[in-house]
Amino acid sequence: MQTIWLSGAEWLAVLRIGLGLWWLESWRHKDRKGWFERGTGIAWAADVAGKHRWGVVRTGFRRVVEPRPKLIAYVVVYAELVLGLGLVTGFLTPVALVAGLLLNLLYLVLMIHDWAEQGQNAMMALISLVALFAMAWQTWSLDAAFGLFL
């Protein structure tokens, strides 16, 4: 691929790193004390899920999240951190891209009525798909340095 400044593989690395920085920003701006001590994140999600137009979302939330709110809070918050670090460094990149795609799809389904959230999660999911199918871990990554996922 011919480009003016970077090669195609380098532009894909920029896209991957940008997505990782997006995940890190999502983690950074979270009120972790609120999520972990007061349960604000899960309480907010419970309110959204309780009013959701799809019964499967209400049922799934009730069965998976409500019995273990503290665990799920830690999983959500630290998944965003780990995804961001994995994508920025390019370590286990395909795993991070698939996990991020799944997390974005969960967020997208939960927030189906909120267009602002849908836009962010849809864009992140699209970037994940492009980076995954274009194998964006081939340049500027620990995966490439270690010879992983060739």
Side-chain angles (χ1 to χ4, degrees):
M1 172 188 253
Q2 187 87 15
T3 67
I4 293 173
W5 183 35
L6 301 173
S7 72
E10 289 168 337
W11 279 116
L12 287 168
V14 168
L15 189 66
R16 181 199 81 229
I17 292 166
L19 180 60
L21 292 172
W22 201 342
W23 278 116
L24 288 174
E25 175 57 20
S26 182
W27 173 79
R28 187 197 65 79
H29 85 265
K30 280 214 177 8
D31 174 13
R32 286 178 286 286
K33 190 171 189 170
W35 272 72
F36 301 147
E37 294 176 17
R38 297 185 308 275
T40 56
I42 299 301
W44 168 81
D47 183 56
V48 172
K51 299 174 189 171
H52 206 282
R53 65 179 98 169
W54 297 344
V56 67
V57 172
R58 291 189 302 272
T59 303
F61 193 90
R62 206 170 30 252
R63 289 185 182 162
V64 175
V65 179
E66 281 182 8
R68 50 192 81 78
K70 199 160 193 100
L71 172 67
I72 299 298
Y74 277 94
V75 167
V76 167
V77 170
Y78 286 107
E80 292 180 355
L81 173 63
V82 170
L83 288 169
L85 292 173
L87 292 170
V88 167
T89 63
F91 184 63
L92 300 177
T93 309
V95 175
L97 288 168
V98 169
L101 177 62
L102 293 174
L103 192 56
N104 280 127
L105 292 177
L106 282 172
Y107 291 169
L108 189 68
V109 167
L110 180 63
M111 297 302 298
I112 199 78
H113 67 282
D114 185 332
W115 286 103
E117 284 291 322
Q118 280 186 335
Q120 173 179 314
N121 289 299
M123 190 58 55
M124 291 176 81
L126 177 62
I127 293 168
S128 294
L129 280 173
V130 168
L132 183 65
F133 288 113
M135 298 176 17
W137 53 88
Q138 297 178 58
T139 301
W140 301 342
S141 73
L142 291 174
D143 291 339
F146 296 143
L148 301 174
F149 310 109
L150 299 177

